[in-house]
Amino acid sequence: MAESRVNSWVGPARRIGSDLHLELSGPGGRRAALIRALREAVRSGRLAPGTRLPPYRSLAADLGFARNTVADAYAELVAEGWLTARQGSGTRVATGVPSLASGRGDSAGPRVPKAAPARARGPRHDLRQGTPDASAFPRTAWLASYRRALQRAPHEVFGPGDPAGRIELREALAEYLARARGVRTDPGRIVICSGFAHALRLLFGGGVLRGPLAVEAYGLGFHREVLAAAGVRTVPLPLDEHGARVERLGRERAVLLTPAHQFPTGGPLHPERRAAVVDWARARGGLVLEDDYDGEFRYDRKPVGAVQGLDPERVIHLGSVSKSLSPAVRLGWMVLPERYAGAVIAAKGEREGWASVLDQLCLADFVASGSYDRHVRRMRQRYRGRRDRLVAALAGHAPHIGVTGVAAGLHAVLRLPPGTEASAVKAAAWQGVALDGLAAFRHPETDMPVSDGLVVGYATPSEHAYGPALEALCRALPPP
């Protein structure tokens, strides 16, 4: 019997497409051939568990078979355990059926599955650092900006993009960064990218800059991995209550800092050290890379301006909207010394291959219309309230636990007694809380003394989930 390609209907639960390929061949007549073909389709994984099969009348019509032939084939496969049939739900592929993909396929029919091992549930409470409250994304204002941007967009927008980024966005950012962050620049020295990691890849992977690169002794490991992949050796700078110990800088070509709010330990770089690191760059012919990852969010202190404002020719200012808006909006920027702008654009290539031009136009309108300022002010109040609730919960339930880095940003560091960090992270996991220990951010080559702590992000949970998250966190903290 020749193989058949059957057009079939499938219900909404799991679709198998408009075609159901069945190899109808072998001895025993049509019924036996259909049973073998369906069995093989299930065993091979082409029909996944839960897939709804066509009604037997429809399949019979497509195959040119008698209805009873298809009905009998379905009934036998149900009896063997390959299929299930329920009134109102149709005929479906049974769950727990072995397949070749699982390495357990055979021709003897399905085995009765053993009880599945208990699967660890995902965290109920996400207190990891790094992401804003996704439920607070300004959908209405963003949509309005997108509509305006599309309506005003010139036809050239829908062609190849400018690797420097749309001029509308660079102009809007130049005005905003000067006003809000004290950055001194013009649109010609701004290059749009898709985020901080992309900026690092362009600067170092693109051959614009070379190592060795000094970095803070505590920082995001992913960034060190990006640099290592580009062949850059990183040299850790110790930290204290005033930020990075920049007097320890030596023969490095550049230094990467988070001066507005050290990540993750918290606190701004002391003004004397800000001036000192710029003096070092001038004397060495080096560069300061300024990661301004959450500079907009400050609560109990005066605004801290960008280091770039001290010397625009010795500082590369790097920012993005991943904390202020969402990491889903893949847009960031580099504010470059004039001598590097052309090299970075050359590293990107002739056509923009990363940041969506339409998203750039939308963000440009979002900033220029004042929507970005309004959103940041609203979120600053919300996150300050979250911060206050965290501090109050600790004071009430774990007064022996110190908390630092709370004057700004979207996370805090809980200082733990020596030797308790690992057990606290494990206890948090048992409570369904996802968070990071301070050790996860430690540079492997630093000689700083080990300090136990938990890095608690208070921005990620939605408003209704934040209270239960704090209660679970407090249950996981070590006793006095």
Side-chain angles (χ1 to χ4, degrees), residues 77-234:
L77 291 172
V78 169
E80 291 177 358
W82 293 96
L83 306 178
T84 61
R86 292 182 181 178
Q87 183 70 29
S89 182
T91 304
R92 300 177 184 271
V93 177
T95 58
V97 176
S99 67
L100 294 177
S102 66
R104 301 190 296 112
D106 56 36
S107 59
R111 301 187 182 106
V112 176
K114 297 180 180 179
R119 177 182 297 178
R121 291 184 299 176
R124 296 189 298 277
H125 311 293
D126 192 351
L127 293 179
R128 288 170 290 196
Q129 59 74 35
T131 56
D133 181 356
S135 68
F137 185 83
R139 301 186 189 207
T140 300
W142 186 257
L143 180 59
S145 286
Y146 223 112
R147 285 174 172 164
R148 286 194 297 266
L150 281 176
Q151 289 170 348
R152 300 169 183 169
H155 296 317
E156 67 185 54
V157 162
F158 302 97
D162 182 346
R166 287 297 304 182
I167 185 60
E168 296 91 338
L169 179 55
R170 290 186 283 126
E171 289 175 344
L173 286 173
E175 186 277 332
Y176 172 79
L177 294 172
R179 171 171 51 82
R181 303 295 301 126
V183 171
R184 295 158 53 194
T185 190
D186 59 68
R189 294 167 59 171
I190 297 177
V191 175
I192 304 302
C193 57
S194 64
F196 183 78
H198 183 209
L200 288 183
R201 291 188 180 101
L202 288 171
L203 291 170
F204 291 95
V208 179
L209 303 179
R210 293 184 294 167
L213 173 70
V215 298
E216 294 161 331
Y218 282 82
L220 199 61
F222 173 65
H223 293 162
R224 293 196 295 268
E225 293 171 3
V226 169
L227 292 164
V232 176
R233 181 172 68 90
T234 56

Side-chain angles (χ1 to χ4, degrees), residues 330-349:
R330 302 303 305 153
L331 287 175
W333 49 87
M334 294 175 274
V335 180
L336 299 158
E338 188 173 3
R339 65 188 183 279
Y340 290 111
V344 171
I345 292 172
K348 289 188 76 176

Side-chain angles (χ1 to χ4, degrees), residues 2-315:
E3 71 176 42
S4 254
R5 182 172 296 274
V6 180
N7 292 326
S8 60
W9 173 90
V10 182
R14 184 188 292 272
R15 304 189 67 85
I16 57 175
S18 58
D19 289 337
L20 174 58
H21 178 75
L22 297 174
E23 296 185 0
L24 301 175
S25 59
R30 292 183 169 184
R31 176 178 173 277
L34 179 57
I35 290 172
R36 280 194 301 270
L38 288 170
R39 236 191 242 128
E40 180 59 28
V42 174
R43 186 188 297 117
S44 67
R46 291 193 296 109
L47 293 181
T51 299
R52 185 174 181 177
L53 298 183
Y56 73 87
R57 293 179 178 84
S58 300
L59 186 57
D62 290 337
L63 290 172
F65 286 7
R67 292 181 182 179
N68 288 343
T69 300
V70 178
D72 289 347
Y74 276 11
E76 181 164 333
L77 291 172
V78 169
E80 291 177 358
W82 293 96
L83 306 178
T84 61
R86 292 182 181 178
Q87 183 70 29
S89 182
T91 304
R92 300 177 184 271
V93 177
T95 58
V97 176
S99 67
L100 294 177
S102 66
R104 301 190 296 112
D106 56 36
S107 59
R111 301 187 182 106
V112 176
K114 297 180 180 179
R119 177 182 297 178
R121 291 184 299 176
R124 296 189 298 277
H125 311 293
D126 192 351
L127 293 179
R128 288 170 290 196
Q129 59 74 35
T131 56
D133 181 356
S135 68
F137 185 83
R139 301 186 189 207
T140 300
W142 186 257
L143 180 59
S145 286
Y146 223 112
R147 285 174 172 164
R148 286 194 297 266
L150 281 176
Q151 289 170 348
R152 300 169 183 169
H155 296 317
E156 67 185 54
V157 162
F158 302 97
D162 182 346
R166 287 297 304 182
I167 185 60
E168 296 91 338
L169 179 55
R170 290 186 283 126
E171 289 175 344
L173 286 173
E175 186 277 332
Y176 172 79
L177 294 172
R179 171 171 51 82
R181 303 295 301 126
V183 171
R184 295 158 53 194
T185 190
D186 59 68
R189 294 167 59 171
I190 297 177
V191 175
I192 304 302
C193 57
S194 64
F196 183 78
H198 183 209
L200 288 183
R201 291 188 180 101
L202 288 171
L203 291 170
F204 291 95
V208 179
L209 303 179
R210 293 184 294 167
L213 173 70
V215 298
E216 294 161 331
Y218 282 82
L220 199 61
F222 173 65
H223 293 162
R224 293 196 295 268
E225 293 171 3
V226 169
L227 292 164
V232 176
R233 181 172 68 90
T234 56
V235 180
L237 285 177
L239 301 164
D240 61 18
E241 66 275 16
H242 299 304
R245 298 277 303 277
V246 296
E247 77 276 7
R248 297 275 294 269
L249 285 166
R251 301 181 61 84
E252 296 83 13
R253 297 175 185 272
V255 57
L256 172 60
L257 300 173
T258 52
H261 186 228
Q262 201 287 319
F263 179 84
T265 62
L269 188 65
H270 192 277
E272 291 182 2
R273 295 187 182 179
R274 292 159 65 93
V277 74
V278 171
D279 289 341
W280 168 86
R282 290 168 178 162
R284 279 279 301 160
L287 277 172
V288 179
L289 276 65
E290 179 179 24
D291 180 3
D292 198 36
Y293 68 102
D294 64 357
E296 294 98 339
F297 296 108
R298 61 190 184 277
Y299 312 122
D300 303 324
R301 70 180 192 205
K302 294 180 180 179
V304 177
V307 173
Q308 190 267 1
L310 299 179
D311 192 336
E313 293 305 316
R314 289 296 168 191
V315 182

